[in-house]
């Protein structure tokens, strides 16, 4: 059974596809035109009642929320592909902790920056310089803590690659390659080395090759 | 080894304590005066560099982010106390999905409402009626989707109690018992029945009995 992944161009969907590639799980993608508002169509809302992206269908099983989908496949195929949850329960605890940090501390300002700089049509082509400034200041705080953490550990959850690192890829890519804010990453020695490492993984370069266009993020 | 739980009065800490009680894990609490800013003290920042609440210490193991801590104990004591992650990998996937919905869709407006109505000193005693109005509108949307879900399933993740339900307790308690917005819950038949069920669990009533004061939330 091939996994169906909706809306492959969106940033949060890329998390899921990188995870599936790392776990050696076959998938096919189903396009969704979010600019036309297809994520608000009644048929799509039956799959994802909040109108968020992405959704997967795996036989009769439907799941949404990118980080939940990643956890599901990392658990289901524990012994296949790359281990993404850590080896012990304590390592998994740290994966969960840093995945929450990504979702609660890193992603909100990164997402606000992307919306106001890259996709202002989402907010009526009315980007707010104050939001941009405040979001960047919040990101600086987060990245300073990452710098300290990465000076002692190769990856955020510890000395092992995990869902945490995958979850950061789409928005750091926006920051480095699309927003002209690469100094946020490059000026930090350990964050920069970590980014070079994770962004050169074949799973990520493949996803970027297949779905380059940075299209709108809806969360 | 007794688990140490920091800052028991805060809403997000209550999630962790309910989880520990349901899993029959012994714990002791360590007070933290967030009004005095003790969560920004250098000693605390060594445990939680973002200054967030709660943190646990379990021997040499330290963990923060309430939902990560809950996942850790639900996994570590899988065969002890109440099962909180579902029985199968598919059920756990749904627990993860709805836990993300709680964190991403429910909690931000619920937290904004709490700050602007209950704890305006956090924002310089300057509550914003527009934020209150918009947050309530967002909550209405979320609760309408919950109503539909709960008309078909006893709990949010399915017909089993889980971390998802625990995670909603502290902020629905604020809404119902402290903000005079109980109509948001009571006017929805299935949401109301679900709330009556989960808020009457001995784990929750015990936590409320021990730590009644609704003190500030820092996330």
């Amino acid at each position: 059974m091939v996994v169906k992944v909706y809306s492959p161009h969106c940033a949060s969907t890329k998390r899921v596809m990188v995870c599936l590639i790392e776990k050696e799980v076959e998938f096919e993608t189903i396009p969704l035109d979010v600019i036309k508002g297809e994520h608000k169509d009644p048929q799509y809302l039956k799959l994802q009642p909040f109108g968020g992206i992405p959704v997967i269908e795996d036989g009769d099983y439907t799941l949404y929320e990118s980080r939940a989908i990643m956890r599901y496949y990392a658990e289901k195929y524990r012994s296949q592909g790359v281990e993404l949850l850590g080896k012990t329960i304590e390592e998994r605890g740290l994966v969960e902790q840093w995945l929450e940090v990504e979702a609660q501390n890193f992603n909100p300002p990164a997402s606000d920056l992307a919306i106001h700089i890259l996709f202002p049509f989402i907010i009526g082509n009315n980007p707010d310089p104050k939001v941009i400034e405040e979001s960047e200041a919040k990101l600086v705080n987060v990245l300073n803590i990452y710098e300290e953490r990465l000076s002692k550990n190769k990856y955020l959850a510890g000395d092992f690659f995990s869902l945490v690192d995958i979850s950061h890829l789409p928005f750091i890519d926006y920051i480095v390659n699309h927003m002209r804010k690469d100094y946020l990453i490059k000026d930090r020695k350990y964050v920069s080395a970590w980014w070079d490492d994770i962004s050169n993984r074949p799973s990520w370069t493949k996803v970027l090759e297949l779905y380059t266009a940075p299209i709108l993020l809806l969360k």
Side-chain angles (χ1 to χ4, degrees), chain A residues 121-158:
Chain A
F121 60 88
I122 296 177
I123 45 169
N125 283 311
N126 195 20
D128 185 341
K130 194 167 167 239
V131 171
I132 293 174
E133 193 185 325
E134 288 173 355
S135 299
E136 185 163 335
K138 284 180 192 168
L139 268 184
V140 163
N141 282 339
V142 171
L143 291 169
N144 285 344
I145 293 169
Y146 284 16
E147 181 71 356
E148 166 69 15
R149 173 76 183 166
L150 292 166
S151 75
K152 291 171 189 156
N153 299 272
K154 194 172 176 197
Y155 300 99
L156 281 171

Coordinates of all heavy atoms in Angstrom, one line a residue, chain A residues 121-158:
Chain A
F121 N 0.7 37.7 0.3 CA -0.7 37.7 -0.2 C -1.6 37.0 0.8 O -2.8 37.2 0.8 CB -0.7 37.0 -1.5 CG -0.2 35.6 -1.5 CD1 -1.1 34.5 -1.3 CD2 1.1 35.3 -1.8 CE1 -0.6 33.2 -1.3 CE2 1.6 34.0 -1.8 CZ 0.7 32.9 -1.5
I122 N -1.0 36.1 1.7 CA -1.9 35.4 2.7 C -2.5 36.5 3.6 O -3.6 36.3 4.1 CB -1.0 34.5 3.6 CG1 -0.4 33.4 2.7 CG2 -1.8 33.9 4.7 CD1 0.5 32.4 3.5
I123 N -1.8 37.6 3.9 CA -2.3 38.6 4.8 C -2.7 39.9 4.0 O -2.4 41.0 4.4 CB -1.3 38.9 5.9 CG1 0.1 39.1 5.3 CG2 -1.3 37.8 7.0 CD1 1.1 39.6 6.3
G124 N -3.3 39.7 2.8 CA -3.8 40.8 2.0 C -2.7 41.7 1.5 O -2.9 42.9 1.4
N125 N -1.5 41.1 1.2 CA -0.4 41.9 0.7 C -0.1 43.1 1.6 O 0.2 44.2 1.1 CB -0.6 42.4 -0.8 CG -0.4 41.2 -1.7 OD1 0.6 40.6 -1.7 ND2 -1.4 41.0 -2.6
N126 N -0.2 42.9 2.9 CA 0.0 44.0 3.8 C 1.0 43.6 4.9 O 0.7 43.5 6.1 CB -1.3 44.3 4.4 CG -1.3 45.7 5.1 OD1 -0.4 46.5 4.9 ND2 -2.2 45.9 6.1
P127 N 2.3 43.3 4.5 CA 3.3 42.9 5.5 C 3.6 43.9 6.5 O 3.5 45.1 6.2 CB 4.5 42.6 4.6 CG 4.4 43.4 3.4 CD 2.9 43.5 3.1
D128 N 3.8 43.5 7.7 CA 4.0 44.4 8.9 C 5.5 44.4 9.3 O 5.9 43.4 9.9 CB 3.1 43.9 10.0 CG 3.1 44.9 11.2 OD1 4.0 45.7 11.3 OD2 2.1 44.8 12.0
P129 N 6.2 45.5 9.1 CA 7.6 45.6 9.5 C 7.8 45.3 11.0 O 8.8 44.7 11.4 CB 8.0 47.0 9.2 CG 6.9 47.6 8.3 CD 5.7 46.8 8.6
K130 N 6.8 45.6 11.8 CA 6.9 45.4 13.3 C 6.9 43.9 13.6 O 7.7 43.4 14.4 CB 5.8 46.1 14.0 CG 6.0 46.1 15.5 CD 5.1 47.1 16.2 CE 5.1 46.9 17.7 NZ 3.8 46.5 18.3
V131 N 6.1 43.1 12.9 CA 6.0 41.7 13.0 C 7.3 41.1 12.6 O 7.9 40.2 13.2 CB 4.8 41.1 12.2 CG1 4.9 39.5 12.2 CG2 3.5 41.5 12.8
I132 N 7.9 41.6 11.4 CA 9.1 41.1 10.9 C 10.3 41.3 11.9 O 11.0 40.4 12.2 CB 9.5 41.8 9.6 CG1 8.4 41.3 8.5 CG2 10.9 41.4 9.1 CD1 8.5 42.0 7.2
E133 N 10.3 42.5 12.5 CA 11.4 42.8 13.4 C 11.2 42.0 14.7 O 12.2 41.4 15.2 CB 11.2 44.3 13.8 CG 12.4 44.9 14.6 CD 12.1 46.3 15.0 OE1 11.5 47.1 14.2 OE2 12.6 46.7 16.1
E134 N 10.0 41.9 15.2 CA 9.8 41.1 16.5 C 10.1 39.6 16.3 O 10.6 38.9 17.1 CB 8.4 41.3 17.0 CG 8.2 42.7 17.6 CD 6.7 43.0 18.0 OE1 5.9 42.1 17.7 OE2 6.5 44.0 18.6
S135 N 9.7 39.1 15.1 CA 9.9 37.7 14.8 C 11.4 37.4 14.7 O 11.9 36.3 15.2 CB 9.2 37.3 13.5 OG 7.8 37.5 13.6
E136 N 12.1 38.3 14.0 CA 13.6 38.0 13.9 C 14.2 38.1 15.3 O 15.1 37.3 15.6 CB 14.2 39.1 13.0 CG 15.7 38.8 12.8 CD 16.3 39.4 11.6 OE1 15.5 39.8 10.6 OE2 17.5 39.6 11.6
A137 N 13.8 39.0 16.2 CA 14.3 39.1 17.5 C 14.1 37.8 18.3 O 14.9 37.2 19.0 CB 13.8 40.3 18.3
K138 N 12.9 37.2 18.1 CA 12.5 36.0 18.8 C 13.4 34.8 18.3 O 13.9 34.0 19.0 CB 11.0 35.6 18.6 CG 10.1 36.4 19.4 CD 8.6 36.0 19.1 CE 7.7 37.0 19.8 NZ 6.3 36.8 19.3
L139 N 13.6 34.8 16.9 CA 14.4 33.8 16.3 C 15.9 33.9 16.8 O 16.5 32.8 17.1 CB 14.4 33.9 14.8 CG 13.4 33.1 14.1 CD1 13.6 33.3 12.6 CD2 13.4 31.6 14.4
V140 N 16.4 35.1 17.0 CA 17.7 35.3 17.5 C 17.9 34.6 18.9 O 18.8 33.9 19.1 CB 18.1 36.8 17.5 CG1 19.3 37.0 18.4 CG2 18.4 37.3 16.1
N141 N 16.9 34.8 19.7 CA 16.9 34.2 21.1 C 17.0 32.7 21.0 O 17.7 32.0 21.7 CB 15.7 34.6 21.9 CG 15.8 36.0 22.5 OD1 17.0 36.5 22.6 ND2 14.7 36.6 22.8
V142 N 16.1 32.2 20.1 CA 16.0 30.7 20.0 C 17.3 30.2 19.4 O 17.9 29.2 20.0 CB 14.8 30.3 19.1 CG1 14.9 28.8 18.7 CG2 13.5 30.7 19.7
L143 N 17.9 30.8 18.4 CA 19.1 30.3 17.8 C 20.3 30.5 18.7 O 21.2 29.7 18.6 CB 19.3 31.1 16.4 CG 18.3 30.7 15.4 CD1 18.4 31.6 14.2 CD2 18.4 29.2 14.9
N144 N 20.3 31.4 19.6 CA 21.4 31.5 20.6 C 21.4 30.3 21.5 O 22.4 29.8 21.9 CB 21.3 32.8 21.4 CG 21.7 34.0 20.6 OD1 22.4 33.9 19.5 ND2 21.3 35.2 21.0
I145 N 20.2 29.9 21.9 CA 20.1 28.7 22.7 C 20.5 27.4 21.9 O 21.2 26.6 22.4 CB 18.6 28.6 23.3 CG1 18.4 29.7 24.3 CG2 18.4 27.2 24.0 CD1 17.0 29.9 24.8
Y146 N 20.1 27.4 20.7 CA 20.5 26.3 19.8 C 22.0 26.2 19.7 O 22.6 25.2 19.7 CB 19.9 26.4 18.4 CG 18.5 26.1 18.2 CD1 17.6 25.9 19.3 CD2 17.9 25.8 17.0 CE1 16.3 25.6 19.2 CE2 16.6 25.5 16.8 CZ 15.8 25.4 17.9 OH 14.4 25.1 17.7
E147 N 22.7 27.4 19.5 CA 24.1 27.5 19.4 C 24.8 26.8 20.6 O 25.7 26.0 20.5 CB 24.6 28.9 19.2 CG 26.1 29.2 19.1 CD 26.6 28.7 17.7 OE1 25.9 28.1 16.9 OE2 27.8 28.9 17.5
E148 N 24.3 27.2 21.8 CA 24.8 26.6 23.0 C 24.6 25.1 23.0 O 25.6 24.3 23.3 CB 24.1 27.3 24.2 CG 24.3 26.6 25.6 CD 25.7 26.7 26.1 OE1 26.5 27.6 25.6 OE2 26.0 26.0 27.1
R149 N 23.4 24.7 22.7 CA 23.1 23.2 22.7 C 24.0 22.5 21.7 O 24.5 21.4 22.0 CB 21.6 23.1 22.3 CG 21.2 21.6 22.1 CD 21.0 20.9 23.4 NE 20.6 19.5 23.2 CZ 20.7 18.6 24.2 NH1 21.1 18.8 25.4 NH2 20.3 17.3 23.9
L150 N 24.1 23.0 20.5 CA 24.9 22.4 19.4 C 26.4 22.4 19.6 O 27.1 21.7 18.9 CB 24.5 22.9 18.1 CG 23.0 22.6 17.6 CD1 22.6 23.5 16.5 CD2 22.9 21.1 17.3
S151 N 26.9 23.3 20.5 CA 28.3 23.3 20.9 C 28.6 22.1 21.7 O 29.8 21.7 21.8 CB 28.7 24.6 21.6 OG 28.2 24.5 23.0
K152 N 27.6 21.4 22.2 CA 27.9 20.2 23.1 C 27.3 18.9 22.5 O 27.6 17.8 23.0 CB 27.3 20.5 24.4 CG 28.0 21.5 25.2 CD 27.3 21.9 26.5 CE 28.0 23.1 27.1 NZ 27.1 23.9 28.0
N153 N 26.4 19.1 21.5 CA 25.8 17.9 20.9 C 25.7 18.1 19.4 O 25.4 19.2 18.9 CB 24.3 17.7 21.4 CG 24.3 17.5 22.9 OD1 24.3 16.4 23.4 ND2 24.2 18.6 23.6
K154 N 26.0 17.0 18.6 CA 26.0 17.1 17.2 C 24.6 17.5 16.6 O 24.5 18.3 15.6 CB 26.5 15.8 16.6 CG 26.8 16.0 15.1 CD 27.5 14.8 14.5 CE 27.8 15.0 13.0 NZ 28.0 13.8 12.3
Y155 N 23.6 17.0 17.2 CA 22.2 17.4 16.8 C 21.4 17.9 18.0 O 21.9 17.8 19.1 CB 21.5 16.1 16.2 CG 22.2 15.6 15.0 CD1 23.1 14.5 15.1 CD2 22.1 16.1 13.8 CE1 23.8 14.0 14.0 CE2 22.8 15.7 12.7 CZ 23.6 14.6 12.8 OH 24.3 14.1 11.7
L156 N 20.2 18.4 17.8 CA 19.5 19.1 18.9 C 19.1 18.1 20.0 O 19.3 18.4 21.2 CB 18.3 19.8 18.3 CG 18.6 21.2 17.7 CD1 17.4 21.8 17.0 CD2 19.2 22.2 18.8
A157 N 18.6 16.9 19.6 CA 18.2 16.0 20.7 C 19.4 15.3 21.4 O 19.2 14.7 22.4 CB 17.2 15.0 20.1
G158 N 20.5 15.3 20.8 CA 21.7 14.6 21.3 C 22.7 14.3 20.1 O 22.6 15.0 19.1

